[in-house]
């Protein structure tokens, strides 16, 4: 008896948090949904053409990095000192090769630098000045701080400083990410972020940490997360979901829900997107909303609020 391989799948996210209808204007709602659709279209175009999951997640994340509505690439939040420091990671589920960049300041699309680290260096993660130098040496497109640091992010930084709080006063984790399954049965994950508003002392969150905010393994699934990075790191959220599926036989939704529930028990907030070689394409979050979308050859859908299917 021969098994039928599922078609391609793609899931994207643009962050989670206190995302409620009264907090978004109708124009913001429309613009965010349109951006999620564009990301799905970019990744779906790769997969429809029999491209790799790795190419698809990179293409989808680049769209979100270039959109100022999300906390990644252009529109990233600012450090306490008022600068943009960006993190990204990418992982191939077939080979389990991975690349990441942390606290970078001048690569227009951080996800491209993460992939370059994976494919053109002997390392998994580069950071700060060294990562910026590697990016220039690899000929990746550069951008100045004026590209990343938008006026609204400066306003948010001043509001956070005035509040005396540690993190984003709006409690929105604007990390972006994508996971995909290609027609050859391989999965991949990609995540990109500006971190949290007002971060200090070179803080790095979960997004570039392989196994925390990003992970892919053809034996289980691909995961990209968004949320309170310190908690995602402590739990190893992305790897934990994969481990539950591979070692315990959990289905994707059950594994994601269980780990997000544990995240909440520790006091953490956020969400994940997951795709498996079996064709499961799910999300799970414990916040009021999460910018999210998924697509297959048959359908494409996006959602923002917690009460949407």
């Amino acid at each position: 008896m021969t098994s039928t391989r599922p078609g391609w799948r793609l899931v994207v996210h643009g962050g989670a948090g206190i995302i409620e209808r009264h907090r978004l204007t109708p124009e913001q709602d429309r613009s965010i949904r349109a951006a999620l659709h564009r990301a799905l279209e970019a990744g779906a175009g790769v997969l429809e053409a029999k491209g790799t999951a790795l190419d698809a997640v990179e293409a989808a994340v680049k769209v979100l990095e270039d959109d100022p509505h999300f906390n990644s690439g252009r529109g990233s939040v600012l450090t306490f000192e008022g600068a943009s420091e960006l993190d990204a990671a990418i992982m191939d589920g077939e080979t389990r090769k991975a690349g990441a960049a942390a606290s970078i300041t001048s690569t227009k699309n951080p996800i491209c630098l993460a992939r370059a680290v994976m494919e053109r260096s002997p390392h998994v993660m580069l950071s700060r000045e060294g990562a910026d130098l590697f990016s220039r040496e690899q000929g990746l497109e550069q951008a100045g701080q004026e590209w990343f640091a938008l006026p609204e992010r400066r306003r948010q930084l001043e509001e956070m400083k005035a509040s005396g709080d540690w993190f984003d006063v709006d409690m929105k984790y604007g990390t972006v990410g994508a996971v995909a399954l290609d027609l050859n049965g391989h999965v991949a994950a990609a995540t990109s972020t500006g971190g949290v508003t007002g971060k200090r002392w070179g803080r790095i969150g979960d997004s570039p940490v392989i196994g925390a905010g990003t992970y892919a393994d053809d034996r289980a699934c691909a995961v990209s997360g968004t949320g309170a990075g310190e908690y995602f790191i402590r739990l190893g959220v992305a790897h934990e979901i994969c481990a539950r599926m591979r070692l315990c036989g959990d289905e994707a939704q059950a594994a994601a829900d269980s780990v997000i529930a544990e995240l909440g028990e520790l006091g953490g907030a956020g969400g994940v997107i997951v795709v498996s070689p079996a064709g499961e394409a799910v999300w799970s979050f414990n916040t009021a909303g999460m910018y999210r979308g998924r697509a297959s050859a048959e359908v494409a859908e996006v959602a923002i609020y917690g009460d949407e299917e």
Side-chain angles (χ1 to χ4, degrees), residues 124-307:
V124 170
M125 183 186 291
L126 300 181
S127 69
R128 303 188 70 81
E129 295 86 355
D132 285 334
L133 174 60
F134 179 77
S135 176
R136 293 192 298 271
E137 289 179 346
Q138 297 304 310
L140 298 180
E141 185 175 358
Q142 304 294 293
Q145 284 285 302
E146 68 278 0
W147 168 258
F148 302 112
L150 301 180
E152 173 62 12
R153 295 307 194 189
R154 296 202 180 280
R155 184 200 65 77
Q156 291 172 348
L157 175 62
E158 293 309 313
E159 185 179 352
M160 189 226 69
K161 286 182 176 180
S163 73
D165 204 348
W166 275 105
F167 294 124
D168 188 341
V169 292
D170 290 331
M171 291 299 288
K172 285 196 291 189
Y173 308 101
T175 301
V176 306
V179 293
L181 166 68
D182 63 33
L183 292 175
N184 289 317
H186 303 308
V187 299
T191 313
S192 180
T193 188
V196 292
T197 298
K199 61 184 180 180
R200 305 184 74 176
W201 311 301
R203 180 264 188 189
I204 297 169
D206 64 300
S207 297
V209 178
I210 302 304
T214 309
Y215 200 73
D217 183 344
D218 277 3
R219 298 173 299 174
C221 64
V223 182
S224 175
T226 173
E230 282 67 21
Y231 292 91
F232 275 68
I233 293 171
R234 288 163 58 190
L235 276 178
V237 164
H239 186 273
E240 178 75 4
I241 291 170
C242 286
R244 287 176 183 243
M245 293 179 65
R246 181 166 68 92
L247 302 176
C248 303
D250 289 3
E251 294 184 351
Q253 192 69 64
D257 288 346
S258 294
V259 175
I260 290 300
E262 187 176 355
L263 182 82
E265 290 168 2
L266 286 182
V272 293
I273 54 174
V274 184
V275 69
S276 76
E280 299 162 290
V282 307
W283 47 61
S284 182
F285 54 97
N286 64 0
T287 53
M290 183 166 83
Y291 303 135
R292 59 203 188 274
R294 58 188 162 198
S296 66
E298 292 77 32
V299 66
E301 58 178 341
V302 301
I304 293 178
Y305 312 108
D307 59 2

Side-chain angles (χ1 to χ4, degrees), residues 21 27 52 81 141 227 237 252 271 278:
R21 284 183 171 81
E27 175 58 30
T52 67
E81 293 75 24
E141 185 175 358
V237 164

